[in-house]
Amino acid sequence: MAGERWVSEVNAGWGLTIKVRRQLCDIQTPFQHLEIFETVNLGRLLMLDGIVQLTSFDEFAYHEMMANVPFYACSHVPERALVIGGGDGGVLRELGRHRELKSLEICEIDASVIEASRKFLPETACGYDDPRVKIHVGDGSAFIKAHPDTYDLIIVDSTDPGGPGEPLFGEPFYRDMKAALRPGGVIATQAESYYLLPEIAARVVRFAKNIFQYSGFAQINVPTYPTGLIGCCVGSDGGDVREPREVPDPELQKVLHYYSPEIHRGAFLLPRFASQLFEGEGK
Ligand code: SPM
């Protein structure tokens, strides 16, 4: 319709399109093209290099799962967490609900993502208001190498491969993450969609299987990512990552809209074709 504005994420011949009211931010950072929109029906929208990172409408689903699946997959109560990427602060916000965590660090390569999110996405970036949060601006793959035996949780909330997140999709990075974990620690990484990018999803599952004793691909329903789902690849040597250590306390349950112990277990149950895709991988 004349006068209407729609923005699209285009993937190999098809796209996901969102109607927007106005653009709030449009900058070329040293790393990527950063845009934030006010949409008509989905709240705010963050895009990096034309790829949807979050909308206010459904970001809770992705962020709750990326934070809570590794938190409860850890066989001991975790104390030290690191987020790599995740500059919008959503994973930090969800981790911050856990008083047991003594330290919450983030290593984001692009300071502009942090600044723009704090300015235009306050409901997500409120994760930064937690006094436990320590911000490192830099390359996550170099940071992890410099911190052996340090973290109970490492959560990689990356963009797609091809941009600044490329090194985060390589096997050396997975080995470095393992070295950066304390005994029994857990990693969780953005593992793409088995419909959209099956070779990437299978690749990271292979790394996790080869490197950790326990691993799995947890699916998350996120309507504004192409195909409506995205994966979280989880790995640990501490115990079965598919079985949550405990149930969230009643106060926490009141603010969780997606995660539950049942969803934790169920997220690892995959359609037959996806199980078969991953079965051939690793070891
Ligand atoms: N904290 C939210 C950041 C989101 N990180 C993951 C984004 C993945 C987007 N791509 C998925 C589909 C392929 N274009």
Side-chain angles (χ1 to χ4, degrees):
M1 298 269 286
E4 289 184 353
R5 184 169 179 196
W6 297 73
V7 293
S8 296
E9 172 179 339
V10 176
N11 290 283
W14 57 291
L16 179 142
T17 303
I18 298 172
K19 190 176 179 182
V20 299
R21 212 183 296 284
R22 65 192 174 116
Q23 188 158 20
L24 303 170
C25 181
D26 181 8
I27 52 175
Q28 181 62 48
T29 81
F31 299 96
Q32 52 206 343
H33 183 200
L34 190 168
E35 297 174 280
I36 299 176
F37 299 91
E38 187 179 297
T39 73
V40 172
N41 290 315
L42 305 177
R44 302 245 162 130
L45 161 66
L46 169 65
M47 294 182 96
L48 295 174
D49 287 338
I51 303 293
V52 173
Q53 301 300 309
L54 66 83
T55 73
S56 314
F57 168 65
D58 55 7
E59 55 92 351
F60 69 94
Y62 177 78
H63 291 133
E64 281 187 23
M65 289 293 276
M66 290 297 290
N68 286 301
V69 170
F71 183 86
Y72 288 108
C74 192
S75 56
H76 61 273
V77 177
E79 293 185 349
R80 297 200 60 176
L82 170 69
V83 179
I84 293 182
D88 52 70
V91 175
L92 284 178
R93 180 193 65 203
E94 296 305 319
L95 287 173
R97 302 190 197 281
H98 295 287
R99 304 324 302 171
E100 303 92 324
L101 286 171
K102 295 189 174 144
S103 78
L104 272 171
E105 294 177 59
I106 180 164
C107 182
E108 162 63 55
I109 199 167
D110 193 342
S112 304
V113 176
I114 301 176
E115 285 157 25
S117 299
R118 294 186 96 162
K119 185 166 177 191
F120 296 110
L121 304 169
E123 288 173 10
T124 308
C126 61
Y128 288 104
D129 299 340
D130 191 310
R132 292 169 294 177
V133 170
K134 189 168 176 196
I135 303 171
H136 309 274
V137 174
D139 174 358
S141 58
F143 184 87
I144 206 87
K145 275 197 187 102
H147 293 83
D149 196 21
T150 305
Y151 300 104
D152 300 300
L153 306 178
I154 300 172
I155 299 171
V156 183
D157 180 11
S158 68
T159 50
D160 295 341
E166 180 66 34
L168 310 181
F169 289 85
E171 187 158 8
F173 176 65
Y174 277 71
R175 296 201 179 277
D176 293 339
M177 282 198 289
K178 175 161 168 146
L181 286 178
R182 300 208 289 190
V186 178
I187 65 135
T189 62
Q190 191 273 98
E192 301 294 356
S193 159
Y194 48 69
Y195 282 113
L196 189 70
L197 295 169
E199 62 297 331
I200 305 288
R203 188 208 299 177
V204 297
V205 165
R206 181 169 72 244
F207 299 156
K209 264 193 191 175
N210 284 343
I211 291 167
F212 294 99
Q213 201 176 340
Y214 304 93
S215 63
F217 179 101
Q219 58 184 344
I220 312 167
N221 300 120
V222 184
T224 60
Y225 288 151
T227 76
L229 73 83
I230 198 156
C232 173
C233 177
V234 190
S236 179
D237 288 336
D240 182 4
V241 296
R242 296 158 197 247
E243 187 56 39
R245 175 188 70 252
E246 59 185 335
V247 173
D249 68 49
E251 282 308 300
L252 180 53
Q253 284 184 36
K254 283 184 200 158
V255 296
L256 293 175
H257 300 295
Y258 192 104
Y259 180 87
S260 67
E262 294 76 20
I263 284 288
H264 182 130
R265 292 185 195 99
F268 290 97
L269 300 176
L270 303 177
R272 282 169 60 82
F273 78 92
S275 296
Q276 284 160 5
L277 172 73
F278 297 142
E279 262 162 27
E281 301 297 340
K283 296 211 163 111

